[in-house]
Amino acid sequence: MIENSMMILSNNEHVLFNRGRDRKKERLAAEVKKRQYVCKIDGYPLCYVEKANVSGRPVCYGNNCVEQDFKSGNPFFITNREYELVEGGNMKGQILKVGVVGVGAIGRTHIERINQKLQGAVVTACADVNVDFGKSVAEKYGCRFFTDGEEMIASDDVDAVIVTTIDPYHEQYVMAAIRAGKYVFCEKPLAPEADACKRIVEAEMKAGKKLVQVGFMRRYDQGYRQLKEAIKNRTYGEPLLLHCAHRNPAVDESYTTEMAVENSMIHEIDVLRWLLDEDYATAEVVFAKNTKRTHEKLMDPQIMILTTKSGVRIDVEAFVNTGHCYDIKCEVCCEDAILNLPEPSNIEVCAQAKRGHAIHSDWSTRFVDAYNTEVQEWIDATKAGRVDGPTAWDGYVGQVTAKAASKARDTQTVVKIEMEEMPEFYK
């Protein structure tokens, strides 16, 4: 347990409770001068605290500045790191102040990874429609709570925004970030409907600057990046066929037939388009024999068939009630080789007269490194004033393709995917 904590108050005034290496139970409070310091190692905002530690220096609680007290086994924050004064408390350029709209499971996970694992940013504010719960999250993570997400986005306490609300509210808050001229990371989908995605694209182009990144995290998985490199370089000739699978151990009865395409295979829709660097021409969805584990509102498994404009053929299996594992497959059949997405590196287990490797039970552990890389690269790009990841246009194309696949599923026909050419703005 880390025994240093900080409560963030208004106007960047803080109270630091330092329990120190002796692990005393009493809290030592101190006046905080209205000057802002930055740790040269972490770029982390510091409080200048008198009397809270012997040296009178700022205490850095950034990830790189946490050391281990091997005697007690408890981590502590050392107080002798180098630091510098930032005139007027202006933290831009040193630390990115992030506001999170929607503090459900994924929102809280992003807060934790930014504050505890990643570098160059700190979550300074959050907002949620569930006021009581939102306040408890803000208190837990030491950030300012807003009852109104748009007010949070406009606040000077926030440099950049993460949107992790339920899907129907994505457009509202992404639009608010664009109006405020702030970079925004929006978890997929960009919006539930293609028309809403198109409005975001048009607003961003009108603003004249790319600000929006969509949370398609598969692009940040090292295995997919290896496939991307091999395909891009044509190391093994042209890609001809792709065989993919998206398997879950189980879903509850709120998961319906439509969600297989629009919530699960939407990841394949994006990452395969990125792998091949071309758009799709047609979509089709067919059904297999239902598993005994499904329910009346879910056809499971399903197979989505996509054909790219150059003729590459793709089949994606969505089987969300396998009963045993979370399993992601991607096999690329090239002219001169067969390429496979590598399996995650897991321990070998020998038990009950069997030997094998442990496998993941859900997406949160399978792609944890991809999520960390995704958000870190977003932080770095935002501080540099650019968008490096999936754009609003990518979000729009994903929804156009998903809606075509859904129509194909409902009509049991092959549906042509039609959209305008990518604007120069996104090239």
Side-chain angles (χ1 to χ4, degrees), residues 235-241 331-340:
T235 306
Y236 303 102
E238 291 290 323
L240 308 173
L241 294 166
E331 181 179 83
V332 184
C333 302
C334 298
E335 292 174 305
D336 301 319
I338 306 298
L339 313 177
N340 278 284

Side-chain angles (χ1 to χ4, degrees), residues 36 53 98 108 128 139 156 171 177 180 182 195 206 208 218-219 234 243 277 293 305 315 323 341 353 370 392 397 404:
Q36 192 68 61
N53 57 73
V98 178
R108 297 194 305 278
D128 199 276
E139 183 178 358
D156 290 338
E171 179 186 9
K182 296 181 179 181
D195 288 347
K206 185 177 180 180
R218 297 262 187 106
R219 298 188 187 198
R234 294 300 190 262
H243 306 295
D277 196 24
R293 296 184 179 89
I305 301 165
D315 59 80
L341 182 70
V397 172

Side-chain angles (χ1 to χ4, degrees), residues 224-408:
Y224 278 111
R225 286 187 163 185
Q226 290 175 45
L227 285 179
K228 173 71 172 178
E229 191 69 17
I231 293 170
K232 179 181 178 181
N233 295 336
R234 294 300 190 262
T235 306
Y236 303 102
E238 291 290 323
L240 308 173
L241 294 166
L242 277 74
H243 306 295
C244 307
H246 186 131
R247 299 174 181 139
N248 291 62
V251 295
D252 61 33
E253 292 196 3
S254 66
Y255 191 105
T256 61
T257 295
E258 295 76 19
M259 295 173 71
V261 167
E262 297 173 15
N263 290 74
S264 296
M265 289 188 285
I266 185 66
H267 283 291
E268 276 76 17
I269 287 172
D270 176 75
V271 77
L272 301 181
R273 172 176 169 266
W274 171 75
L275 280 179
L276 298 172
D277 196 24
E278 65 170 317
D279 288 329
Y280 304 114
T282 63
E284 180 182 5
V285 175
V286 297
F287 300 116
K289 181 179 178 180
N290 265 343
T291 174
K292 65 182 180 181
R293 296 184 179 89
T294 193
H295 56 85
E296 62 179 357
K297 294 182 180 179
L298 174 62
M299 299 287 288
D300 187 40
Q302 303 176 31
I303 298 174
M304 177 175 65
I305 301 165
L306 300 169
T307 304
T308 70
K309 290 187 174 181
S310 73
V312 178
R313 192 78 162 173
I314 302 165
D315 59 80
V316 183
E317 167 206 323
F319 188 7
V320 297
N321 282 296
T322 65
H324 52 78
C325 70
Y326 180 80
D327 192 22
I328 302 299
K329 302 289 187 185
C330 182
E331 181 179 83
V332 184
C333 302
C334 298
E335 292 174 305
D336 301 319
I338 306 298
L339 313 177
N340 278 284
L341 182 70
E343 291 291 330
S345 180
N346 290 320
I347 62 169
E348 183 179 272
V349 178
C350 182
Q352 298 178 335
K354 295 179 182 179
R355 186 187 302 275
H357 289 87
I359 56 178
H360 293 280
S361 59
D362 63 35
W363 54 269
S364 64
T365 57
R366 168 62 177 84
F367 287 110
V368 63
D369 291 337
Y371 275 109
N372 289 339
T373 301
E374 174 188 44
V375 178
Q376 184 65 69
E377 291 190 11
W378 174 72
I379 291 169
D380 295 342
T382 297
K383 292 173 72 174
R386 64 178 188 269
V387 174
D388 287 346
T391 64
W393 180 259
D394 294 320
Y396 169 65
V397 172
Q399 285 306 99
V400 169
T401 304
K403 295 305 179 184
S406 293
K407 181 179 179 181

Side-chain angles (χ1 to χ4, degrees), residues 5-18:
S5 60
M6 184 173 72
M7 296 167 54
I8 295 184
L9 305 178
S10 60
N11 301 320
N12 288 326
E13 294 181 356
H14 308 81
V15 176
L16 179 67
F17 299 105
N18 187 335

